[in-house]
Amino acid sequence: MAEVIAVIALLFVLFVALGVFATVKVVGAAKRSADKHITQARRTVEDHTLKAKALGRPGPAGEVAQLRLTLRTSMRATQEALEVLAAEDGSVKESLALFQRLSAHGHELDAELRRLESEPDRATLAARLPDLRERTERIAHSADSLRWAARDRARRFADDDLDSLSTQIDMEAGALRHWQTAESESSPTASSAPSARAASEPARAAEAPERPAPPPWPEAPATEPGTAPEQTWPDTPRTRQAEEPTRPAISPAAPRPTYPWQKKPRPESTT
């Protein structure tokens, strides 16, 4: 009995531990999802604010907002592209490590630009703008180079895979149409058959035995002067039929017999 109670208690503890573990996992996932949504919402609000400042503030303050917006857009696009490609290609992880080092300089420049947005001295801000513009262009250019190089690499792999797949499909299509290959191989033999037949005809004509010449036509008999010559032919069934007298095809009708009870025909009166 004590062993049964111990087993039940152990199972209860295991179920409680599994429930706590699952609850922690669910809460952690929900927290990460909420943080992600909050970060994305904050980023969207900041981007719209920077766009409004860049368009609404003339002078150095508006240019600072535009530099910050350009930097954030380039760094964010490169980070998303490298993270996606690194999950598919291990070689991109080195590029992702380089981007993390570049991100440190980007965050430093972004923080400096954020502080300069509220700088009241416009002269000092205008004097520092060339240096800030150059640093922003260098960091954005480096990020863009990493992003486009990674995308070109992925597109190159996709093109190579497509070329290999097209070659395999062409080979399979040729194997499925095997009768066309057989016809193309047999076509030279079929075309040479008429020429061989034409070449063999003279040889066959030479080897064939000579046929006897046909008999000559009968000559016309001598005729008396003053009469037209008539050509005679050997007796044939047609000549015999011509010599026989012609018979009428239909014999004449016999007279009808008359009977006493028949009436005589009445002559037609002309009056």
Side-chain angles (χ1 to χ4, degrees):
M1 188 65 182
E3 296 177 354
V4 175
I5 295 176
V7 171
I8 293 175
L10 181 61
L11 291 176
F12 178 76
V13 172
L14 288 176
F15 282 123
V16 171
L18 289 175
V20 172
F21 179 76
T23 303
V24 172
K25 286 290 185 180
V26 171
V27 171
K31 184 178 180 181
R32 287 192 299 271
S33 178
D35 293 340
K36 182 179 179 180
H37 285 86
I38 291 173
T39 304
Q40 186 175 2
R42 185 185 297 114
R43 184 185 304 167
T44 303
V45 172
E46 290 179 357
D47 291 343
H48 286 290
T49 303
L50 290 175
K51 289 180 181 180
K53 289 181 179 180
L55 297 175
R57 288 185 180 182
E63 190 171 355
V64 168
Q66 183 64 39
L67 291 176
R68 190 182 176 196
L69 180 62
T70 302
L71 177 66
R72 290 166 61 90
T73 303
S74 177
M75 297 296 288
R76 185 183 308 117
T78 304
Q79 181 179 2
E80 293 176 356
L82 292 179
E83 287 178 353
V84 172
L85 296 175
E88 301 175 356
D89 188 2
S91 301
V92 185
K93 292 182 180 180
E94 298 179 1
S95 302
L96 187 59
L98 293 175
F99 175 75
Q100 290 176 358
R101 294 174 56 186
L102 183 65
S103 296
H105 296 277
H107 285 298
E108 181 180 354
L109 179 61
D110 184 66
E112 185 176 356
L113 291 172
R114 186 187 299 111
R115 289 191 300 269
L116 291 175
E117 284 181 0
S118 57
E119 177 65 33
D121 191 357
R122 292 190 175 183
T124 304
L125 185 60
R128 297 191 60 182
L129 272 179
D131 180 55
L132 296 174
R133 190 183 301 110
E134 181 182 0
R135 289 173 60 189
T136 303
E137 291 177 355
R138 289 179 60 186
I139 294 175
H141 177 71
S142 299
D144 295 341
S145 299
L146 281 176
R147 182 175 69 255
W148 285 111
R151 288 178 177 176
D152 292 342
R153 177 183 176 86
R155 187 176 65 253
R156 179 63 180 177
F157 285 161
D159 293 341
D160 293 342
D161 187 27
L162 181 59
D163 293 340
S164 177
L165 181 61
S166 299
T167 303
Q168 295 178 4
I169 289 175
D170 292 339
M171 294 176 62
E172 183 65 20
L176 292 176
R177 297 191 183 97
H178 59 86
W179 63 87
Q180 292 184 354
T181 305
E183 290 178 358
S184 62
E185 292 178 355
S186 61
S187 59
T189 306
S191 61
S192 62
S195 60
R197 189 182 301 109
S200 62
E201 285 181 358
R204 292 180 181 177
E207 295 177 358
E210 297 182 358
R211 295 181 179 179
W217 294 96
E219 297 180 0
T223 58
E224 296 179 359
T227 59
E230 294 182 0
Q231 188 175 3
T232 59
W233 300 88
D235 293 340
T236 58
R238 294 183 179 179
T239 56
R240 296 193 186 96
Q241 291 179 2
E243 294 176 356
E244 294 179 358
T246 57
R247 298 178 181 177
I250 301 176
S251 58
R256 294 183 178 180
T258 57
Y259 300 95
W261 61 82
Q262 290 182 347
K263 294 182 180 180
K264 294 182 180 180
R266 181 178 302 176
E268 298 180 357
S269 60
T270 56
T271 59

